[in-house]
Amino acid sequence: GIVVSVFGAVVVITHGNLFTILENPITWGDFFVFCCVISWVSYTLIGKSVLNGLTPLTAVAYSSMIGAVALLIPAIGNGMMGNILSYSPLEWGSLFYLGFFGTVLGFFWYYEALNRIGPMKSSVFINFVPISAIILAFFILGEPVTWSLGVGAILVICGVLLTNLSALIKMKSVLNQSAS
């Protein structure tokens, strides 16, 4: 399931031309994406051990505070404090959306999943990121949706389902028992 899901994400990222990964030189952007993956794996593994002593909400609160401080330093260095009063309502709304939905709520749900189904089964959901980015680009920027997105999305969904198949079967069994 993990392999199928990752392959689906690769199909989406490469727009269906899998050989572009081998043909094109590695760019700084590729390097930063790789660092992001390493960071997410570390966050997941550390998060699983942290959840032994903390609730998901407490763990997310601490990680969000640490992240906010880590991001505040370069933000101040780039003149954020001098511009803070000139932010438009749209910019404040965007910051709220990213802070609440993209960070607090998203990480809380992720830690809940990490706590309930474990790191392997929950981490496969990260493969929905390129798919959701392309779907949002379609709605917000008018970008076209291609066949590779459809194929990649189907592969990611199938991979997530395969990875979590035992949990789905167990949940169905519990629902059947409670219904009778």
Side-chain angles (χ1 to χ4, degrees):
I2 293 171
V3 171
V4 170
S5 183
V6 169
F7 184 70
V10 170
V11 168
V12 170
I13 292 166
T14 64
H15 302 285
N17 186 3
L18 304 177
F19 295 107
T20 59
I21 292 174
L22 301 173
E23 295 170 355
N24 295 330
I26 295 174
T27 65
W28 279 108
D30 297 330
F31 172 75
F32 290 133
V33 167
F34 177 73
C35 290
C36 177
V37 170
I38 298 300
S39 174
W40 190 253
V41 168
S42 301
Y43 181 79
T44 299
L45 294 175
I46 292 168
K48 182 61 180 167
S49 64
V50 164
L51 288 175
N52 290 333
L54 299 174
T55 67
L57 186 59
T58 304
V60 168
Y62 285 135
S63 68
S64 294
M65 285 187 282
I66 292 168
V69 169
L71 290 173
L72 185 63
I73 296 166
I76 290 171
N78 284 314
M80 180 194 87
M81 296 310 283
N83 298 326
I84 202 163
L85 296 176
S86 66
Y87 291 163
S88 71
L90 178 63
E91 290 168 324
W92 281 111
S94 298
L95 285 171
F96 173 77
Y97 175 83
L98 178 62
F100 182 74
F101 292 104
T103 304
V104 175
L105 193 58
F107 285 147
F108 173 71
W109 284 342
Y110 184 73
Y111 265 31
E112 276 291 324
L114 194 60
N115 197 28
R116 291 181 187 206
I117 63 175
M120 184 169 60
K121 290 180 180 179
S122 58
S123 65
V124 74
F125 285 90
I126 195 74
N127 293 321
F128 280 112
V129 169
I131 292 166
S132 62
I134 291 173
I135 291 171
L136 287 172
F138 170 76
F139 286 112
I140 296 171
L141 304 173
E143 294 285 326
V145 175
T146 62
W147 67 269
S148 61
L149 175 62
V151 170
I154 290 168
L155 288 169
V156 168
I157 291 166
C158 288
V160 169
L161 288 173
L162 284 170
T163 303
N164 291 285
L165 191 59
S166 63
L168 291 171
I169 291 170
K170 188 184 295 183
M171 185 172 63
K172 182 180 177 185
S173 172
V174 168
L175 290 174
N176 287 340
Q177 288 175 355
S178 65
S180 36

